[in-house]
Amino acid sequence: MPDNEPAPICAFAVSPDGIPQPIPLPTDLMGSARTEGYIWLHFDLGDPAFAPWLARQLPMTVAMALVQPETRPRCDRIEHGLGLNLRGVNMNPGAEADDMVSVRLWMTKGLIISARARKIWAVD
């Protein structure tokens, strides 16, 4: 993978019947929109290539919303998709349960991008 592209934690093409197939990171997200099923890409916010890659791939409003350092639960219609921030109890070993973890999502008809700063067991 080139140095200027992030390494997704996972990347899947999900068929209409819900069966995921691992895929490489698409080079052009807008060009890879599928008419059947969808693509799901999950990232670690700590990857230094993630924010610059998002800025090249998505509208700036969306890219900035995905990389905010602090989040609150929310759901917003942005441009042609939906931004969703979810938070939950931190179940990571040695962590305080009240030190919440969050997942940020950008969803359109054929694409889901999710990102996290710390492992979220529910996403696994």
Side-chain angles (χ1 to χ4, degrees):
M1 184 168 304
D3 290 338
N4 60 349
E5 290 187 359
I9 294 168
C10 59
F12 294 104
V14 182
S15 66
D17 59 359
I19 298 172
Q21 294 295 321
I23 60 170
L25 181 64
T27 56
D28 175 19
L29 292 183
M30 298 320 199
S32 64
R34 299 165 50 101
T35 56
E36 294 185 33
Y38 61 93
I39 292 174
W40 174 41
L41 308 171
H42 183 57
F43 295 94
D44 186 328
L45 288 168
D47 186 332
F50 181 57
W53 178 81
L54 275 180
R56 291 189 305 272
Q57 295 286 336
L58 300 176
M60 189 54 65
T61 306
V62 175
M64 290 176 57
L66 284 170
V67 298
Q68 289 297 310
E70 295 294 324
T71 62
R72 294 202 177 277
R74 64 185 305 161
C75 181
D76 295 308
R77 181 169 289 226
I78 305 171
E79 311 241 346
H80 61 282
L82 188 69
L84 180 65
N85 291 342
L86 301 172
R87 287 171 45 181
V89 174
N90 190 343
M91 302 296 290
N92 290 307
E96 296 293 323
D98 61 346
D99 184 18
M100 306 291 275
V101 292
S102 69
V103 62
R104 302 100 188 272
L105 298 117
W106 168 246
M107 298 172 284
T108 64
K109 181 176 168 109
L111 176 67
I112 297 174
I113 295 177
S114 59
R116 52 95 164 155
R118 292 175 284 181
K119 184 176 180 83
I120 301 168
W121 291 92
V123 174
D124 281 359

